[in-house]
Protein backbone atom coordinates (compact mmCIF):
# COMPACT_ATOMS: atom_id res chain seq x y z
CA UNK A 1 0.00 0.00 0.00
CA UNK A 2 1.33 3.42 -0.94
CA UNK A 3 2.03 5.98 1.74
CA UNK A 4 1.22 8.88 -0.58
CA UNK A 5 -1.91 10.65 0.65
CA UNK A 6 -3.07 11.76 -2.79
CA UNK A 7 -2.45 8.33 -4.35
CA UNK A 8 -4.64 6.93 -1.58
CA UNK A 9 -7.42 9.47 -2.22
CA UNK A 10 -7.23 8.70 -5.96
CA UNK A 11 -7.47 4.97 -5.19
CA UNK A 12 -10.53 5.59 -3.00
CA UNK A 13 -8.76 4.36 0.17
CA UNK A 14 -9.24 7.74 1.85
CA UNK A 15 -12.40 9.77 1.30
CA UNK A 16 -12.23 13.01 -0.64
CA UNK A 17 -14.86 15.41 -1.97
CA UNK A 18 -14.47 14.60 -5.63
CA UNK A 19 -15.16 17.37 -8.15
CA UNK A 20 -14.02 15.63 -11.31
CA UNK A 21 -12.16 12.61 -12.57
CA UNK A 22 -11.04 11.42 -15.96
CA UNK A 23 -8.39 9.07 -17.31
CA UNK A 24 -5.49 11.30 -16.27
CA UNK A 25 -6.71 13.76 -13.63
CA UNK A 26 -8.67 13.88 -10.40
CA UNK A 27 -9.92 17.08 -8.75
CA UNK A 28 -11.17 17.26 -5.17
CA UNK A 29 -11.85 19.92 -2.56
CA UNK A 30 -9.01 20.96 -0.28
CA UNK A 31 -9.70 19.74 3.27
CA UNK A 32 -8.56 23.10 4.69
CA UNK A 33 -9.97 25.59 2.18
CA UNK A 34 -8.32 29.00 1.91
CA UNK A 35 -11.06 30.48 -0.28
CA UNK A 36 -14.74 29.72 -1.04
CA UNK A 37 -13.52 27.54 -3.92
CA UNK A 38 -10.29 25.69 -3.14
CA UNK A 39 -9.81 22.70 -5.38
CA UNK A 40 -6.77 20.52 -5.93
CA UNK A 41 -6.16 19.22 -9.45
CA UNK A 42 -4.01 16.11 -9.26
CA UNK A 43 -2.61 13.74 -11.90
CA UNK A 44 -3.46 10.08 -11.28
CA UNK A 45 0.19 9.21 -11.85
CA UNK A 46 2.46 9.81 -8.87
CA UNK A 47 4.94 12.62 -9.56
CA UNK A 48 6.54 13.93 -6.36
CA UNK A 49 7.45 17.51 -7.28
CA UNK A 50 7.62 19.85 -10.26
CA UNK A 51 11.35 19.02 -10.37
CA UNK A 52 10.44 15.49 -11.49
CA UNK A 53 8.57 16.58 -14.62
CA UNK A 54 9.97 15.75 -18.03
CA UNK A 55 9.01 16.82 -21.52
CA UNK A 56 6.75 13.75 -21.63
CA UNK A 57 4.55 15.45 -19.02
CA UNK A 58 3.93 18.68 -20.94
CA UNK A 59 0.49 17.61 -22.14
CA UNK A 60 -0.46 16.36 -18.67
CA UNK A 61 0.49 19.64 -16.98
CA UNK A 62 -1.23 21.60 -19.74
CA UNK A 63 -4.41 19.62 -19.12
CA UNK A 64 -4.17 20.39 -15.38
CA UNK A 65 -4.03 24.13 -16.08
CA UNK A 66 -6.80 23.98 -18.64
CA UNK A 67 -8.95 21.97 -16.28
CA UNK A 68 -8.41 24.56 -13.52
CA UNK A 69 -9.70 27.23 -15.91
CA UNK A 70 -12.70 25.04 -16.75
CA UNK A 71 -13.51 24.40 -13.09
CA UNK A 72 -13.24 28.13 -12.31
CA UNK A 73 -15.67 28.80 -15.14
CA UNK A 74 -18.09 26.10 -13.95
CA UNK A 75 -18.18 27.86 -10.57
CA UNK A 76 -18.70 31.29 -12.13
CA UNK A 77 -15.29 32.74 -11.28
CA UNK A 78 -13.77 33.03 -14.75
CA UNK A 79 -14.50 36.75 -15.12
CA UNK A 80 -14.07 37.71 -11.44
CA UNK A 81 -10.72 35.97 -11.28
CA UNK A 82 -9.00 33.07 -9.63
CA UNK A 83 -5.52 31.91 -8.71
CA UNK A 84 -3.65 28.74 -9.59
CA UNK A 85 -0.60 27.67 -7.56
CA UNK A 86 1.92 24.86 -7.65
CA UNK A 87 4.07 24.74 -4.51
CA UNK A 88 7.44 23.08 -4.96
CA UNK A 89 9.41 21.82 -1.98
CA UNK A 90 9.82 23.08 1.55
CA UNK A 91 10.26 26.84 1.30
CA UNK A 92 7.27 27.12 -0.98
CA UNK A 93 5.15 25.21 1.53
CA UNK A 94 4.72 21.90 -0.29
CA UNK A 95 3.41 19.39 2.24
CA UNK A 96 2.06 16.63 0.00
CA UNK A 97 4.69 15.25 -2.34
CA UNK A 98 2.43 14.36 -5.27
CA UNK A 99 2.10 17.33 -7.57
CA UNK A 100 -1.16 19.25 -7.38
CA UNK A 101 -2.45 22.50 -8.77
CA UNK A 102 -4.34 24.63 -6.25
CA UNK A 103 -7.34 26.54 -7.64
CA UNK A 104 -8.48 29.36 -5.35
CA UNK A 105 -11.43 31.65 -6.03
CA UNK A 106 -14.27 33.54 -4.45
CA UNK A 107 -12.46 36.25 -2.50
CA UNK A 108 -9.87 38.94 -3.12
CA UNK A 109 -6.43 37.34 -3.06
CA UNK A 110 -3.40 39.32 -1.95
CA UNK A 111 -0.22 39.81 -3.92
CA UNK A 112 2.58 39.18 -3.22
CA UNK A 113 1.59 35.92 -1.53
CA UNK A 114 2.90 35.20 1.95
P1 LIG B 1 0.70 21.86 -0.48
O1 LIG B 1 0.95 22.58 0.82
O2 LIG B 1 0.86 22.72 -1.69
O3 LIG B 1 1.49 20.56 -0.57
O4 LIG B 1 -0.83 21.49 -0.47
C1 LIG B 1 -1.36 20.34 0.15
C2 LIG B 1 -2.81 20.62 0.36
O5 LIG B 1 -3.45 19.39 0.63
C3 LIG B 1 -3.10 21.55 1.54
O6 LIG B 1 -3.79 22.72 1.08
C4 LIG B 1 -3.96 20.68 2.46
O7 LIG B 1 -5.00 21.40 3.10
C5 LIG B 1 -4.51 19.64 1.50
N1 LIG B 1 -4.88 18.37 2.11
C6 LIG B 1 -4.20 17.67 3.06
N2 LIG B 1 -4.85 16.53 3.35
C7 LIG B 1 -5.96 16.51 2.57
C8 LIG B 1 -7.04 15.58 2.41
N3 LIG B 1 -7.12 14.44 3.11
N4 LIG B 1 -8.01 15.88 1.52
C9 LIG B 1 -7.95 17.02 0.80
N5 LIG B 1 -6.96 17.93 0.89
C10 LIG B 1 -5.97 17.68 1.77
ZN1 LIG C 1 1.08 9.94 -4.97
Amino acid sequence: MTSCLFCRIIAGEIPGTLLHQDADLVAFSDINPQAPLHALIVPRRHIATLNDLTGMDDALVGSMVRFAAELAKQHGYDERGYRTVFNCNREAGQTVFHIHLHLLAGRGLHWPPG
Side-chain angles (χ1 to χ4, degrees):
M1 183 173 55
T2 174
S3 60
C4 170
L5 176 64
F6 286 176
C7 281
R8 295 187 68 191
I9 290 175
I10 290 162
E13 294 171 13
I14 293 176
T17 305
L18 222 60
L19 300 169
H20 169 87
Q21 54 180 330
D22 62 29
D24 299 316
L25 302 182
V26 174
F28 48 87
S29 299
D30 196 292
I31 203 169
N32 182 22
Q34 301 300 311
L37 173 63
H38 187 171
L40 301 173
I41 296 133
V42 184
R44 286 187 182 276
R45 181 158 56 87
H46 182 90
I47 302 168
T49 81
L50 291 192
N51 295 336
D52 299 304
L53 292 171
T54 73
M56 303 276 283
D57 302 315
D58 288 358
L60 178 67
V61 175
S63 70
M64 292 170 73
V65 176
R66 290 219 317 118
F67 182 69
E70 175 59 32
L71 201 54
K73 187 172 186 175
Q74 282 174 20
H75 285 79
Y77 294 120
D78 51 332
E79 296 300 328
R80 281 174 61 180
Y82 55 90
R83 184 168 295 168
T84 54
V85 178
F86 281 107
N87 293 323
C88 182
N89 278 337
R90 182 175 51 85
E91 284 200 358
Q94 186 175 6
T95 58
V96 178
F97 287 83
H98 179 139
I99 64 166
H100 48 281
L101 182 59
H102 293 258
L103 169 63
L104 298 139
R107 68 171 174 86
L109 297 163
H110 303 287
W111 194 263

